[in-house]
Amino acid sequence: MAARIHGGAGAGAATALSTFNPKKLVAPSRTNLPAITRSKRYIVASGSDASNKSLRVRHSQKLIANAAVAVCLLSLILHELLLFEALQEGLEEEMDRDPHVCVMGEDVGHYGGSYKVTKGLADKFGDLRVLDTPICENAFTGMGIGAAMTGLRPVIEGMNMGFLLLAFNQISNNCGMLHYTSGGQFTIPVVIRGPGGVGRQLGAEHSQRLESYFQSIPGIQMVACSTPYNAKGLMKAAIRSENPVILFEHVLLYNLKEKIPDEEYICNLEEAEMVRPGEHITILTYSRMRYHVMQAAKTLVNKGYDPEVIDIRSLKPFDLYTIGNSVKKTHRVLIVEECMRTGGIGASLTAAINENFHDYLDAPVMCLSSQDVPTPYAGTLEEWTVVQPAQIVTAVEQLCQ
Amino acid sequence: MALSRLSSRSNTISRPLSAAFNRFISTDTTPITIETSLPFTAHLCDPPSRSVESSTQELLTFFRTMALMRRMEIAADSLYKAKLIRGFCHLYDGQEAVAIGMEAAITKKDAIITAYRDHCIFLGRGGELYEVFAELMGRRDGCSRGKGGSMHFYKKDSSFYGGHGIVGAQVPLGCGIAFAQKYGKEEAVTFAMYGDGAANQGQLFEALNISALWDLPAILVCENNHYGMGTAEWRAAKSPSYYKRGDYVPGLKVDGMDAFAVKQACKFAKEHALKNGPIILEMDTYRYHGHSMSDPGSTYRTRDEISGVRQERDPIERIKKLVLSHDLATEKELKDMEKEIRKEVDDAIAKAKDCPMPEPSELFTNVYVKGFGTESFGPDRKEVKAALP
């Protein structure tokens, strides 16, 4: 597949979108070795011309080492962009590739998207493919699902994930279940995406984490992106998938900067990402908490610990293979998430790990989550609702005793 | 009559009936003009004329299909009482004219989506009796493999999008289908059906707003049987003129017990929707059974009311009178037809009873589509394959 260069990629200038401090949340730079490992896996696959070429990823390390040389050359053609631009690139590439892909949401068209993810798309593709909807989440989510039943591939944007609670019936009953109750007649290749999570003093109703509510709906897949690289990859994979996929973005991560390959690539929807291999403890995290964990990891390394950090990325289904391998190596698990303590992703993950890997654990699985409170407005209080790096360090020290 | 025996063997109702009646082959395509029983009431549009073009063949087909639908629903009633059908079973008898008239006006490319009272509409879209009964009894050969049940009948190749249990949720879906039809420039329309109870749902007005804004070929059909489960319409809606509820969207009120009025209205609506965007049709109809099989149907309305409607407005009786008055068949021939239909339904039920239950492995099929070429196995899986399409 030829490398694609898009107009949007050239705009490397960081826009002062939000008031947060970019220094606190910097995407892992090229010094992070796994980045090369990540990109090469898929670029090699895409370099081959056969459409169904599969790549044995879990083969020996030798294969990786050999391929790395060849592929490093390909992955050297990089361009730098922000996370929202990566999402936009992914969306634009898919819309170019398949005329059935359309976007619907509030202010996605002429306004360009409230977080600029769909900027420029309305000019390029027209009003019929980038649809500005009125404010009726229930109806336009239903419409997206109805259109998907006939073969279109809508990307439904919730301006803030919290607003999608109004469309819960459509997502749960129609989106998740129609493939099953129709005996396989209809597929719903819809992507539901939007920013969620605790932002900077946005208030309780705009700081929702919906992954905990949607996780038990059968028939949907959930993924959470955390870097520009996996944002673009997951967006493309989600659009191409025949299943309904909910893509969770985070309000505070839109301005992350990273260099991503020019070449086309897709991330695996059901796979977790190894952020930092280690020996002492497995830390499972996703979305924004990944950065808190990496910050804590710096402190931990200085103190002599060697944490293995995995960004689970796939919230439903869990990538128990990667997680299991890690648990078998380190025997200690810490889950750091932004969901509430009760019924969150961490709770399910704890149960899954305990069920499947109980024999390999030297200590009980510890889960650090947000407090079970509505997110307060005051800055200091809001900081205390989410997990901070210092708490992660303490938890690791406690587990590793 | 050998020919009539031949026709009774087939289950599909789309076969022309001419084979059964030797003496009518020559008069098959004779056009007949029929006056609807009541004039149409219109809101923001000009009502269509009361004279409906029809033909002998159509009249007889109407009678046979409606009798088949009626028989099927009555048989489902007995099966439910025999505990072969469980859960919820919502019966359509009394409302057959809506399904039949709509089918006569449209093609299989036009989409229909409806709520849970979907058995007859499925049949009208080309579904088979055997599939219906197998699904109702939860058997393997049901139209949804036994996994949907009474409320989840679908037929993708005839653009029948089901079959939905949550009241009102199918209307945004229907507008989405209309959107896809417009997106693909298909020159087809979508009929999104709902009841008078669902007419009070907010998502309806949301969907109507978007359809009107984007000029979608969506036709919202309100099957007003005057009761939303146990609540009469005057107790649930401040404004029971459902055809006017669209406000800026034109509407038409139709006598839903007259199959020809329904046919005329649907034809008119299709032409309108393809040119001007959404339109609302209100079908004034009635259901004889209760809301579902768990509802006796007589606690909120009197038996006199039900028998009164049955005597004066029954759709099958009306067609029967037309057939007899146009001298297309004798009473005896119609009775024979009904006997044939009864046998057809009984045969389908017997066949469905013999059908086995779904395999246990069916529990996990069709939850996801393994579309992206990625296969994930349990925690002990040996390899992960990722293939780019």
Side-chain angles (χ1 to χ4, degrees):
Chain A
M1 300 196 169
R4 281 177 181 259
I5 302 169
H6 287 273
T15 46
L17 182 64
S18 61
T19 52
F20 84 104
N21 184 355
K23 285 200 209 106
K24 261 199 199 164
L25 299 168
V26 167
S29 61
R30 270 168 302 154
T31 54
N32 185 352
L33 189 59
I36 306 288
T37 317
R38 263 195 335 260
S39 48
K40 77 146 171 45
R41 179 190 307 154
Y42 302 98
I43 289 178
V44 168
S46 69
S48 50
D49 47 9
S51 54
N52 267 338
K53 219 43 185 292
S54 49
L55 189 64
R56 291 261 168 93
V57 176
R58 302 291 175 209
H59 214 34
S60 68
Q61 300 296 315
K62 280 185 230 162
L63 185 66
I64 296 172
N66 286 338
V69 173
V71 175
C72 263
L73 298 168
L74 282 172
S75 61
L76 274 181
I77 313 168
L78 305 168
H79 59 281
E80 190 176 46
L81 41 53
L82 305 174
L83 196 143
F84 72 85
E85 288 167 345
L87 287 166
Q88 186 198 345
E89 241 183 54
L91 193 48
E92 198 174 340
E93 281 173 22
E94 288 304 306
M95 288 181 80
D96 272 329
R97 179 179 174 271
D98 184 355
H100 290 108
V101 181
C102 56
V103 186
M104 49 174 80
E106 294 157 14
D107 280 332
V108 294
H110 297 187
Y111 188 77
S114 47
Y115 292 94
K116 298 214 198 78
V117 175
T118 50
K119 188 171 177 194
L121 294 182
D123 293 326
K124 183 170 176 190
F125 296 106
D127 276 345
L128 195 61
R129 290 187 74 188
V130 183
L131 300 145
D132 277 324
T133 60
I135 307 176
C136 43
E137 281 76 9
N138 198 351
F140 72 71
T141 311
M143 285 182 68
I145 294 166
M149 282 167 95
T150 66
L152 282 193
R153 308 182 86 95
V155 176
I156 302 172
E157 171 172 318
M159 189 183 274
N160 186 297
M161 268 286 171
F163 306 161
L164 289 180
L165 286 173
L166 288 160
F168 204 109
N169 173 50
Q170 298 289 352
I171 297 173
S172 162
N173 286 325
N174 293 330
C175 183
M177 300 192 190
L178 269 172
H179 185 59
Y180 190 83
T181 56
S182 67
Q185 286 179 68
F186 295 113
T187 56
I188 319 279
V190 84
V191 176
I192 300 176
R193 49 160 291 267
V198 176
R200 287 269 181 263
Q201 297 187 252
L202 297 176
E205 290 169 341
H206 292 75
S207 313
Q208 300 262 42
R209 285 130 281 172
L210 291 202
E211 30 304 357
S212 46
Y213 304 145
F214 289 144
Q215 64 176 323
S216 12
I217 301 175
I220 58 162
Q221 283 188 260
M222 304 201 308
V223 286
C225 63
S226 46
T227 64
Y229 180 87
N230 61 33
K232 178 175 174 185
L234 289 173
M235 168 74 94
K236 289 171 73 94
I239 294 176
R240 294 194 197 183
S241 168
E242 292 295 321
N243 293 309
V245 179
I246 307 188
L247 172 59
F248 289 93
E249 302 154 12
H250 198 286
V251 277
L252 293 183
L253 297 185
Y254 278 129
N255 281 349
L256 281 183
K257 210 185 260 197
E258 191 187 4
K259 286 196 158 66
I260 66 170
D262 274 4
E263 270 233 309
E264 191 176 14
Y265 68 93
I266 301 183
C267 290
N268 188 333
L269 281 178
E270 292 104 0
E271 200 153 21
E273 189 179 314
M274 178 72 69
V275 183
R276 182 191 188 283
E279 297 289 325
H280 290 166
I281 181 172
T282 302
I283 307 184
L284 301 172
T285 180
Y286 66 92
S287 194
R288 180 186 169 211
M289 289 294 118
R290 167 187 173 141
Y291 298 99
H292 282 204
V293 167
M294 289 312 288
Q295 225 177 320
K298 277 200 207 114
T299 320
L300 286 169
V301 164
N302 286 341
K303 291 193 176 183
Y305 295 98
D306 188 18
E308 174 154 297
V309 180
I310 296 181
D311 179 345
I312 60 174
R313 242 166 50 180
S314 169
L315 304 178
K316 185 183 168 82
F318 291 132
D319 181 7
L320 287 177
Y321 185 69
T322 312
I323 295 173
N325 281 348
S326 180
V327 173
K328 289 176 192 172
K329 187 167 63 163
T330 64
H331 310 296
R332 289 180 171 80
V333 180
L334 173 67
I335 303 172
V336 180
E337 55 151 2
E338 204 175 338
C339 266
M340 314 272 198
R341 189 73 188 86
T342 311
I345 297 284
S348 302
L349 194 50
T350 309
I353 295 174
N354 278 328
E355 256 172 42
N356 291 304
F357 306 117
H358 185 252
D359 288 334
Y360 298 97
L361 290 171
D362 282 346
V365 174
M366 198 188 269
C367 180
L368 293 177
S369 337
S370 301
Q371 305 302 319
D372 277 321
V373 294
T375 313
Y377 167 71
T380 44
L381 291 180
E382 189 187 58
E383 243 180 68
W384 295 332
T385 52
V386 290
V387 179
Q388 298 296 334
Q391 293 168 283
I392 302 172
V393 173
T394 321
V396 169
E397 286 174 342
Q398 206 177 333
L399 269 179
C400 285
Q401 270 168 358
Chain B
M1 292 171 63
L3 285 168
S4 64
R5 255 180 268 135
L6 268 174
S7 64
S8 71
R9 241 178 250 145
S10 87
N11 271 343
T12 56
I13 53 174
S14 53
R15 259 183 113 224
L17 208 47
S18 53
F21 297 93
N22 273 342
R23 70 180 170 115
F24 297 112
I25 290 174
S26 55
T27 56
D28 231 15
T29 48
T30 313
I32 302 180
T33 314
I34 302 189
E35 283 277 308
T36 64
S37 55
L38 293 173
F40 298 103
T41 330
H43 168 71
L44 292 187
C45 65
D46 292 320
S49 96
R50 284 176 71 174
S51 314
V52 188
E53 299 294 318
S54 182
S55 70
T56 343
Q57 183 189 340
E58 187 169 69
L59 213 55
L60 290 167
T61 318
F62 273 19
F63 177 79
R64 184 176 206 278
T65 319
M66 288 208 280
L68 186 69
M69 288 178 177
R70 179 70 60 92
R71 191 67 229 139
M72 174 181 78
E73 297 294 70
I74 308 270
D77 180 314
S78 342
L79 284 176
Y80 192 90
K81 289 184 176 135
K83 291 211 196 289
L84 282 163
I85 301 179
R86 315 302 301 274
F88 293 126
C89 189
H90 305 88
L91 297 177
Y92 202 68
D93 53 329
Q95 296 182 214
E96 298 91 352
V98 177
I100 276 290
M102 193 180 286
E103 276 307 319
I106 61 178
T107 68
K108 289 289 189 280
K109 284 196 144 290
D110 297 310
I112 298 185
I113 188 171
T114 182
Y116 40 76
R117 217 175 285 280
D118 55 353
H119 306 167
C120 298
I121 303 190
F122 175 75
L123 212 63
R125 287 262 94 178
E128 307 247 334
L129 273 180
Y130 170 57
E131 278 179 336
V132 171
F133 287 115
E135 184 63 34
L136 286 175
M137 293 196 268
R139 306 299 166 106
R140 192 182 58 193
D141 288 339
C143 54
S144 299
R145 307 264 175 286
K147 300 203 284 195
S150 161
M151 296 189 281
H152 299 286
F153 283 16
Y154 305 90
K155 200 161 169 61
K156 185 168 186 184
D157 47 8
S158 327
S159 311
F160 177 51
Y161 290 89
H164 295 274
I166 303 294
V167 168
Q170 75 277 11
V171 178
L173 288 184
C175 295
I177 298 167
F179 168 70
Q181 287 171 332
K182 179 167 180 173
Y183 192 94
K185 300 187 177 41
E186 285 171 32
E187 293 299 307
V189 293
T190 305
F191 286 82
M193 306 173 71
Y194 59 99
D196 49 295
N200 300 315
Q201 275 269 322
Q203 45 191 327
L204 224 99
F205 297 97
E206 293 176 11
L208 204 57
N209 180 35
I210 301 187
S211 308
L213 261 180
W214 295 347
D215 278 323
L216 301 181
I219 299 166
L220 270 66
V221 179
C222 176
E223 291 179 285
N224 183 6
N225 54 25
H226 306 285
Y227 294 94
M229 206 162 101
T231 309
E233 73 177 333
W234 60 268
R235 292 182 64 224
K238 186 73 179 170
S239 156
S241 326
Y242 299 105
Y243 69 107
K244 281 199 201 152
R245 287 256 198 118
D247 189 18
Y248 40 82
V249 169
L252 197 66
K253 183 166 172 159
V254 184
D255 178 7
M257 304 297 252
D258 180 356
F260 293 101
V262 174
K263 177 186 167 188
Q264 182 82 319
C266 291
K267 214 160 83 154
F268 171 75
K270 178 172 174 174
E271 280 159 19
H272 184 279
L274 283 173
K275 270 195 323 246
N276 302 337
I279 179 171
I280 299 185
L281 297 178
E282 180 186 338
M283 306 285 177
D284 186 351
T285 179
Y286 199 83
R287 55 167 161 83
Y288 299 141
H289 269 92
H291 164 74
S292 73
M293 287 305 300
S294 348
D295 170 24
S298 48
T299 52
Y300 46 87
R301 49 187 190 174
T302 61
R303 289 191 204 277
D304 288 336
E305 184 190 304
I306 307 173
S307 46
V309 173
R310 208 188 265 273
Q311 260 163 3
E312 282 163 44
R313 297 176 66 201
D314 186 68
I316 303 185
E317 286 303 310
R318 173 172 294 154
I319 298 285
K320 200 171 184 180
K321 283 197 196 104
L322 279 170
V323 166
L324 293 172
S325 70
H326 284 257
D327 201 25
L328 302 178
T330 63
E331 276 266 8
K332 183 170 179 318
E333 272 159 354
L334 292 181
K335 278 234 158 27
D336 285 341
M337 217 192 291
E338 281 177 357
K339 277 211 197 77
E340 251 175 65
I341 288 171
R342 185 167 248 186
K343 186 169 180 317
E344 206 177 309
V345 169
D346 288 339
D347 286 345
I349 294 181
K351 192 172 168 208
K353 276 186 189 166
D354 280 336
C355 178
M357 290 296 221
E359 299 290 314
S361 59
E362 273 285 314
L363 181 63
F364 297 105
T365 59
N366 295 131
V367 180
Y368 290 107
V369 179
K370 292 283 185 202
F372 187 46
T374 320
E375 292 181 39
S376 322
F377 304 98
D380 55 350
R381 69 180 186 237
K382 304 279 192 292
E383 62 186 14
V384 167
K385 284 192 266 241
L388 289 172

